[in-house]
Amino acid sequence: ILDVRQIKIALRGLRQLGRIGPEEELDIEGTIDSTARNAGDIDLKWMRSRINSTKLLLMMDTGGSMIPYARLCSRLFTAAHSVSHFKDFKFFYFHNCIYDNVYQDIEHDDGIPTEWLTRNFTSDYKVVLVGDGRMATSELTHRYGAIYYYERNEKPGILRLQELANHFTHCVWMNPEEEHFWKHPTVQMIEQIFPMFPLTLEGLGQAIKRLTVNK
């Protein structure tokens, strides 16, 4: 069973540490070396602190066919939200596919334009999308194809997904279904845009390696 602790440990693999900010951390090795060269007179050396520069954007499919995986997705969210080493962590929800809006709540009441993401989030955010990817083909390919009438998506969902893939340099799609269920038209279409991994401990490890590859 993939639990919160295991996910938190796996997410540590996303860390990208760099020394930034003011020089306020004592450089022990540098101080010892400088003091020795200074005939024993203490010569303190300082350096910038190591800070994790990773920014994570988590986007999760909720409702419908994702209901059986709600507890698993909740563990993923809890782990990501409780990890303190990210420079920034943002999350949004969608249903089946990303259309003209994404939502800041599971009930899909608090929506913001999807285009806002690419205007306000820099391309170096690590993007993790979670969903089974299964839907009617028209939901993915047609204007106004969203399953909910209030979506009224002006752009087909497949174009919205491609826009995200074009903007963010590192994206992965985590699928909670077993891989033999992935032989579905819309799942395979999404696989053409995002590298897809199973939402298992092994799959999460593979996804994190993909997210940390230099491009």
Side-chain angles (χ1 to χ4, degrees):
I1 297 175
L2 188 60
D3 60 27
V4 173
R5 180 178 176 276
Q6 291 174 320
I7 297 173
K8 288 177 67 174
I9 292 173
L11 289 175
R12 291 175 185 170
L14 286 175
R15 288 180 296 183
Q16 292 180 322
L17 298 176
R19 295 194 179 277
I20 59 177
E23 295 183 349
E24 55 186 15
E25 180 180 328
L26 180 63
D27 181 355
I28 296 177
E29 292 186 2
T31 296
I32 293 173
D33 182 66
S34 182
T35 299
R37 293 173 182 274
N38 202 31
D41 290 338
I42 299 297
D43 185 15
L44 297 177
K45 296 296 181 182
W46 304 89
M47 60 184 177
R48 295 180 175 87
S49 299
R50 295 185 71 189
I51 298 176
N52 184 18
S53 60
T54 300
K55 295 175 286 188
L56 178 64
L57 173 58
L58 177 63
M59 309 182 74
M60 293 182 289
D61 181 3
T62 58
S65 59
M66 286 295 292
I67 290 177
Y69 310 106
R71 183 172 296 179
L72 178 58
C73 292
S74 177
R75 294 187 191 122
L76 176 61
F77 172 81
T78 300
H81 195 268
S82 62
V83 172
S84 59
H85 59 244
F86 293 132
K87 182 177 180 180
D88 192 23
F89 171 62
K90 294 290 189 295
F91 60 91
F92 297 94
Y93 301 97
F94 62 93
H95 182 60
N96 282 2
C97 184
I98 294 173
Y99 299 109
D100 293 355
N101 295 287
V102 290
Y103 299 89
Q104 300 180 86
D105 62 314
I106 293 179
E107 293 77 18
H108 294 188
D109 294 326
D110 188 8
I112 63 170
T114 302
E115 293 175 349
W116 185 89
L117 301 180
T118 53
R119 290 199 306 265
N120 290 274
F121 293 160
T122 54
S123 62
D124 59 340
Y125 271 80
K126 312 291 187 184
V127 181
V128 177
L129 300 105
V130 182
D132 58 14
R134 296 171 67 92
M135 66 197 86
T137 304
S138 59
E139 291 182 59
L140 195 59
T141 61
H142 285 46
R143 182 187 184 193
Y144 306 142
I147 190 171
Y148 294 130
Y149 72 91
Y150 57 77
E151 285 280 357
R152 298 295 294 173
N153 55 302
E154 293 293 332
K155 283 187 179 182
I158 194 74
L159 295 184
R160 290 295 185 190
L161 296 180
Q162 188 63 63
E163 288 173 353
L164 293 176
N166 290 341
H167 177 74
F168 296 104
T169 59
H170 292 77
C171 304
V172 296
W173 186 288
M174 305 296 301
N175 194 325
E177 287 201 311
E178 296 181 13
E179 292 183 65
H180 61 267
F181 288 119
W182 294 8
K183 294 181 180 180
H184 183 278
T186 57
V187 178
Q188 293 174 334
M189 290 174 70
I190 292 172
E191 273 191 286
Q192 296 300 310
I193 300 176
F194 301 109
M196 187 174 289
F197 302 92
L199 188 51
T200 61
L201 186 58
E202 181 180 0
L204 186 58
Q206 294 171 345
I208 288 173
K209 286 183 180 180
R210 185 60 178 262
L211 288 171
T212 53
V213 170
N214 291 328
K215 289 190 176 183

